[in-house]
Amino acid sequence: MRETLARNLRKYRRAQRLSQEELGHRAELDRTYISSIERCVYSATVDVVGRLADALGIRALELLRPASESAEAKSSSVTSAESASTKAQAKKGAKPSRKREEPAQRRATRKKPGP
């Protein structure tokens, strides 16, 4: 069950192009806790699953649904979750998610240590 939650949480978060930090902010959870759930380090309580689902605009059941269940149900849930996220962002006046930099770009912009 922990692996299913981790896989689905990551899938829905990425589908909405949310960082762990942004999802944590929306669910009022620490970014490191989201990371730990996605890596199966910690298991989440029912309350936490509910908060994550609310923050993603989906039903909690979608986070706990095994991968073997119908792809049709999942694809419709992702679509509705994306539209819910867009509506929530418009309502809050939130900034759109930043585009991720490629690893080479990050390395190029890092400060080099001094002598």
Side-chain angles (χ1 to χ4, degrees), residues 15 35 42 59 61 77 87 94 98 101:
S35 172
Y42 295 137
R59 296 180 319 162
L61 174 64
S77 296
K87 288 177 187 174
R98 289 182 281 163
E101 291 180 332

Side-chain angles (χ1 to χ4, degrees), residues 91-102:
K91 200 180 246 187
K92 291 181 181 178
K95 297 177 190 173
S97 299
R98 289 182 281 163
K99 188 176 178 182
R100 293 180 84 181
E101 291 180 332
E102 294 299 320

Side-chain angles (χ1 to χ4, degrees), residues 33 74 77:
Y33 186 60
K74 290 180 191 178
S77 296

Side-chain angles (χ1 to χ4, degrees), residues 8-55:
N8 289 338
L9 178 59
R10 183 177 292 120
K11 178 183 76 171
Y12 284 106
R13 179 180 61 78
R14 287 180 175 173
Q16 293 184 32
R17 302 179 63 94
L18 293 174
S19 66
Q20 291 174 343
E21 186 170 0
E22 178 60 26
L23 178 57
H25 177 70
R26 290 180 182 190
E28 297 180 357
L29 298 167
D30 192 81
R31 175 201 56 82
T32 59
Y33 186 60
I34 304 272
S35 172
S36 296
I37 293 171
E38 287 186 357
R39 291 180 292 122
C40 297
V41 173
Y42 295 137
S43 57
T45 65
V46 173
D47 292 336
V48 169
V49 172
R51 287 166 59 182
L52 290 167
D54 288 344

